[in-house]
Structure formats: structure tokens, C-alpha cells
Amino acid sequence: MEQHLDYAAVRSAAVRTAGAVRPAAVVPAAEGVWYALEYLQHTGSFKARGAHNFLAAHREAGVLPSAGVTIASGGNAGLACAWAARAQGVPATVFLPANAPRVKVDRLRGYGADVRLVGDRYAEALAACREFADRSGALSSHAYDHPLVAAGAGTLLDEVRAALPGLDTVVVAVGGGGLFAGVATAAREHGVRVVAAEPEHCRALNAALEAGGPVDVPVSSVAADSLGATRVSADAYAAARHGNTLSVLVPDEAIGSARRALWEEHRIVVEAGAATALAALRTAPEPLGERVAVVLCGANTDPRDL
């Protein structure tokens, strides 16, 4: 299936995901600021949108194999893939390093996934996943680097606009760039600015903009478990070059402070990656806009470290 990311792809994704994903809840947070509570989504993160769109589009095209789907991810993408596969009635085979936390393995199995533990590094799990896809005919999925995954994530923007007329700015955390690419593609259609928030030492998009194209970056941050991509997707880089994007880097200290503030002020518990978006707003030297939505994109975290 040949796909490309544009607003038409986001609109098609909205049709496929309607009734399958939870519409975004948008609540007031402060003067001129609203929170998009995407952590309330199925599986606890925005990833459910892209995973459902990816599989539904393949079924629609008649190319969803009986062998199902496979992915190497113990995080939000793996959970979303397993959830979406169960909804489509096909197997999900998820590859993880053998030292993956038991809680992740148990959650994946709870969604019906066949969990394969391979090696002690992600690269080994990924290699095994690719070999399995080649051998079994299973559809190979990716955590963020696919137009259908990004388009599914982008459906969030129109839901936020519907709930918040006059939206001028949306703030999203960026790791590999799936959420950003989809949201920025939809936002450009409506003249909405996107603030792309990254930790100072997980700056794949910021580095790509600086270098003139995606480059490998070192990863070290309190938010690395969800934002720790070593290279941003080509779609994310392309979306960021259209001029409606502001790239912002935030220190880990500000991420931790934002995460604690969400709990103390609103009793909201999110993962550090999601708090990165709020940290960008809180550390901005001037207002980011008049009607700003901050996307709280995931909450698969341990609240005990607040």
C-alpha cells in the first residue's frame, strides 16, 4: 500500500477511527490555555489512533494478512498495536527485549498479544520482528514512521478545534514525530500554529531542522522512555518546514516540574513525555498564543515517582 501524508489522509483516518477511538476531551486549564486529555484514550495514549487507522486501512484495501501484525515495542505503540489488532480480529505478535519490565509484558498479553522476548537490546527485538514478518507474512508496523500512523494521530487536531473554536496554537511533545507530523499536517490546513516540544537531550526534530534533514541524535532525558527516538521521521521533518511550527527545547527539570504541577493543581497523572508539552508552555518567555491547547498525550506511567 502506497500512502502519503496530507490533510486528505487525516480526514480519511477520521472516518476509519470514528466510533473506534475516544474523542478528545478538552478542558480549561488557565487563562487562554486548555488541556486536550488524550491520555484518556484507549491504551492510555494517542497511539491508539494511528494503530487503528493503520490496520483498518489495510483491511479496507484487502491487504490485512491473516497472520496479523507485528511490531517491536514495549511502550505505547506496542500496546496500541495489540489493542487495534484485537479489534480487527487478527493476531498481534510483539517483540521485546528479554529484560522488558514484567508489567509491560503482562499488559500486552492482556490485550491478547503474542509476546516474544528476544535478546537484551531493542535492536535485537527489532531484528527478530523483521525476520518474523518476512517468514510469516505478518504486516510489519512501526511506532511512528508511517503515513497511516501519523494520519491517525492527526485526527486529534480537528477534534480539539471542534471543542475549542478559535484555537490558534497547539502544543505537542515530539519523539519520533508521528503525533507531530499528523497534527501539524491538519493544523496547517486551518492556520493553527504548532509548538513542537522536545527535551533538551532528546531533540530529534530540532536537530533535523538545524541540520537540514533528519539526523541521528543522542538520547538522554527523564522523558526518553516515550520521546527517545534517535531520528525523527521524514514526514515530521517535512511538516515542520512548512512554517507553522515553533521548535522548543525544555530541560528535564522543567518537565518534572510540569508533571508535578499537573498532579498538584489538577490531579492529573501523565508520563514525562506528555508533561514535556506543558513544560514548553510554562517556560516560554512570552505567551504562545491567545487560545492554546496543550496535548497531554499519554499516561502510561508509575504515579509513585511524582
Side-chain angles (χ1 to χ4, degrees), residues 140-177:
S140 184
S141 184
H142 194 279
Y144 59 86
D145 195 4
H146 193 284
L148 287 169
V149 172
T155 60
L156 173 66
L157 191 278
D158 280 343
E159 292 177 13
V160 174
R161 286 184 64 249
L164 184 55
L167 172 74
D168 59 61
T169 304
V170 61
V171 188
V172 297
V174 183

Side-chain angles (χ1 to χ4, degrees), residues 17 29 41 56 58 65 70 74 88 127 148 192 195 232 247 251 272 281 283 301:
T17 57
Q41 189 55 259
H58 281 81
T70 186
Q88 293 290 334
L148 287 169
V192 174
V195 177
V232 78
S247 174
L281 178 74
T283 58
T301 187

Side-chain angles (χ1 to χ4, degrees), residues 218-244:
V219 169
S220 175
S221 170
V222 67
D225 61 336
S226 56
L227 302 184
T230 56
R231 176 181 286 243
V232 78
S233 72
D235 280 334
Y237 171 67
R241 295 185 66 212
H242 278 282
N244 67 324

Side-chain angles (χ1 to χ4, degrees), residues 50-156:
H52 180 86
N53 187 52
F54 179 77
L55 292 184
H58 281 81
R59 182 178 290 285
E60 188 179 280
V63 292
L64 182 59
S66 59
V69 62
T70 186
I71 191 170
S73 169
N76 291 336
L79 290 169
C81 182
W83 168 81
R86 184 177 67 178
Q88 293 290 334
V90 296
T93 307
V94 181
F95 287 80
L96 301 174
N99 56 4
R102 180 62 182 268
V103 64
K104 289 186 175 182
V105 174
D106 289 345
R107 286 199 68 194
L108 285 164
R109 287 177 175 153
Y111 283 121
D114 176 4
V115 181
R116 309 282 181 95
L117 302 175
V118 179
D120 58 8
R121 294 181 300 115
Y122 173 76
E124 294 172 89
L126 179 60
C129 178
R130 289 172 174 165
E131 190 276 331
F132 173 79
D134 291 341
R135 174 169 44 83
S136 68
L139 178 64
S140 184
S141 184
H142 194 279
Y144 59 86
D145 195 4
H146 193 284
L148 287 169
V149 172
T155 60
L156 173 66

Side-chain angles (χ1 to χ4, degrees), residues 133-294:
D134 291 341
R135 174 169 44 83
S136 68
L139 178 64
S140 184
S141 184
H142 194 279
Y144 59 86
D145 195 4
H146 193 284
L148 287 169
V149 172
T155 60
L156 173 66
L157 191 278
D158 280 343
E159 292 177 13
V160 174
R161 286 184 64 249
L164 184 55
L167 172 74
D168 59 61
T169 304
V170 61
V171 188
V172 297
V174 183
L179 175 63
F180 166 77
V183 166
T185 297
R188 187 168 68 249
E189 188 75 12
H190 304 292
V192 174
R193 184 170 72 153
V194 182
V195 177
E198 296 175 280
E200 285 179 338
H201 303 296
C202 281
R203 53 184 292 264
L205 178 63
N206 183 269
L209 290 171
E210 192 176 86
V215 292
D216 288 339
V217 296
V219 169
S220 175
S221 170
V222 67
D225 61 336
S226 56
L227 302 184
T230 56
R231 176 181 286 243
V232 78
S233 72
D235 280 334
Y237 171 67
R241 295 185 66 212
H242 278 282
N244 67 324
T245 297
L246 173 65
S247 174
V248 174
L249 299 179
V250 293
D252 274 6
E253 182 180 348
I255 295 170
S257 177
R259 185 168 175 258
R260 288 189 298 273
L262 281 166
W263 169 246
E264 291 166 1
E265 297 171 17
H266 302 283
R267 286 301 185 257
I268 290 174
V269 180
V270 296
E271 55 201 63
T276 300
L278 179 58
L281 178 74
R282 286 163 56 94
T283 58
E286 57 190 40
L288 295 177
E290 293 184 1
R291 292 175 72 79
V292 181
V294 178

